[in-house]
Amino acid sequence: MTMKSLAELRAWKPYEITADTSGNAPGSLPEFLAHHDSFNALLTEKKAIVFRGFNVPEDSLDPVLDQLLPNRLAYVHGNSPRTKVGSNVYTSTEYPQEFTISMHNELSYGHQWPSRLVFYCATAPATGGATTVVDGELWLASLDPEVREAFAGGVRYTQNLHDGIGLGKSWQDTFETDDRAVVEAFLKGAEAEWSWQPDGALRITQIRRSTLVHPESGTEVWFNQSDQWHPASLGDETAAELAQILPAEELPQSVTFADGTPIPDAYVLQVRDRGLENAVDVNWAQGDLMVIDNVAVGHGRGAFTGDRRVLVAMTD
């Protein structure tokens, strides 16, 4: 495979399909999709596709999602706060609107992850609030060789999920159940290690790869959430305050190299910043949708003002 230069990789942006140019009247996205059976191949080629001007109302979203995501997944073992609003349809991360959400691939810390995500704009923000996307091949190539080499052995994620009261998410919310047996069956299938703590909390440890080779394109991409799980990403002041309360291994989530060696702050900050530097903004209008290949493309969110309601669904 021919290696692309950084300049070539930085030229990438999501592919847009508009109602005016598709030959379909606004509101007829299901009809458009029904007559384009090559959509899967197009998504593999383009990595992210934005539908504009079809004016899909929220109460008509299910037929579109049924075509784009034939097997919608529950957000089980997700680490970000969100609300379930339909049949495996969720609000996007409910993170304070004044903050930027850095780039990541959904559930990249898990044993399995969705292959495809759909974002739908029900209410556009007053300002800002773009969903940001980054080419995973570019993200990997943008990192210093020293950083890429350090991560080559993979990473170790640790979660501490409380039993109802504490920092972060509870294990009940994370797994959408209060049945320990269901949780244990999931974790066994995920090849994770876990232990129940005396206070009812659940500690989970998983060793994962730091990169993946895309199953269809053969391209190697950056694919881990080390920067989001590392205390350094919280900022010096917040990290220092947490360190006074809890050791790193007792935080709601933390990460090391696979062998347990600490990851230098500078490495995870470079990962975070290079992802953000190479991201492309997808600004929203009400009724827009975006489909992304979750292996090929990382995503995040810009800060915003006003109301913003973006829904997300995923498939395997």
Side-chain angles (χ1 to χ4, degrees):
M1 180 178 295
T2 303
M3 296 294 293
K4 294 181 181 178
S5 68
L6 279 175
E8 290 175 309
L9 291 172
R10 287 182 175 128
W12 175 83
K13 63 180 180 179
Y15 183 72
E16 291 198 4
I17 297 174
T18 67
D20 291 341
T21 59
S22 69
N24 290 264
S28 59
L29 184 52
E31 289 85 352
F32 172 81
L33 293 170
H35 291 90
H36 289 76
D37 55 9
S38 61
F39 180 78
N40 290 341
L42 182 64
L43 181 61
T44 297
E45 176 190 356
K46 303 298 186 182
K47 305 179 183 180
I49 298 174
V50 181
F51 293 98
R52 297 197 186 278
F54 289 90
N55 301 327
V56 177
E58 185 173 345
D59 59 8
S60 299
L61 183 59
D62 271 356
V64 177
L65 293 179
D66 289 343
Q67 290 173 289
L68 292 171
L69 307 175
N71 180 32
R72 293 206 291 278
L73 300 174
Y75 185 64
V76 176
H77 202 186
N79 68 328
S80 63
R82 60 185 73 211
T83 302
K84 192 172 185 177
V85 298
S87 177
N88 288 343
V89 179
Y90 300 82
T91 58
S92 59
T93 303
E94 295 168 358
Y95 196 64
Q97 64 187 57
E98 64 268 27
F99 296 116
T100 295
I101 298 175
S102 60
M103 311 310 295
H104 61 286
N105 303 79
E106 202 64 47
L107 294 171
S108 61
Y109 53 84
H111 178 62
Q112 293 182 310
W113 44 82
S115 64
R116 180 185 300 182
L117 307 180
V118 170
F119 296 91
Y120 165 76
C121 180
T123 304
T127 64
T131 293
T132 46
V133 288
V134 65
D135 184 329
E137 183 181 5
L138 169 60
W139 196 357
L140 175 61
S142 72
L143 299 175
D144 293 350
E146 176 186 1
V147 174
R148 293 199 299 269
E149 183 178 351
F151 276 93
V155 295
R156 180 193 300 265
Y157 299 105
T158 299
Q159 281 178 288
N160 291 292
L161 305 173
H162 62 75
D163 191 31
I165 299 176
L167 291 174
K169 294 181 69 176
S170 69
W171 62 263
Q172 294 92 335
D173 286 342
T174 298
F175 293 99
E176 296 187 2
T177 182
D178 57 6
D179 188 333
R180 288 191 177 194
V182 172
V183 175
E184 291 178 357
F186 177 92
L187 293 174
K188 183 178 180 179
E191 301 177 0
E193 297 180 359
W194 72 92
S195 61
W196 296 100
Q197 305 302 302
D199 62 357
L202 174 63
R203 177 171 293 177
I204 303 168
T205 302
Q206 305 173 91
I207 296 177
R208 303 297 183 216
R209 297 181 60 182
S210 59
T211 67
L212 280 183
V213 173
H214 193 283
E216 295 179 35
S217 71
T219 300
E220 186 178 13
V221 298
W222 186 252
F223 197 80
N224 68 82
Q225 281 176 243
S226 57
D227 59 311
Q228 290 194 331
W229 285 57
H230 196 283
S233 66
L234 300 172
D236 292 344
E237 185 176 334
T238 302
E241 290 175 353
L242 282 174
Q244 292 179 352
I245 301 171
L246 294 170
E249 65 273 13
E250 293 184 15
L251 292 171
Q253 57 188 41
S254 60
V255 64
T256 65
F257 289 124
D259 63 1
T261 303
I263 302 174
D265 292 2
Y267 286 7
V268 294
L269 294 178
Q270 181 181 131
V271 168
R272 181 197 65 189
D273 294 345
R274 298 281 169 88
L276 290 169
E277 289 166 7
N278 289 293
V280 178
D281 287 352
V282 176
N283 294 300
W284 290 111
Q286 186 173 348
D288 287 351
L289 290 97
M290 177 169 62
V291 189
I292 69 170
D293 182 321
N294 184 49
V295 174
V297 174
H299 66 277
R301 189 209 69 192
F304 65 94
T305 64
D307 294 330
R308 179 188 189 270
R309 179 175 168 84
V310 173
L311 306 181
V312 63
M314 58 194 77
T315 193
D316 54 13

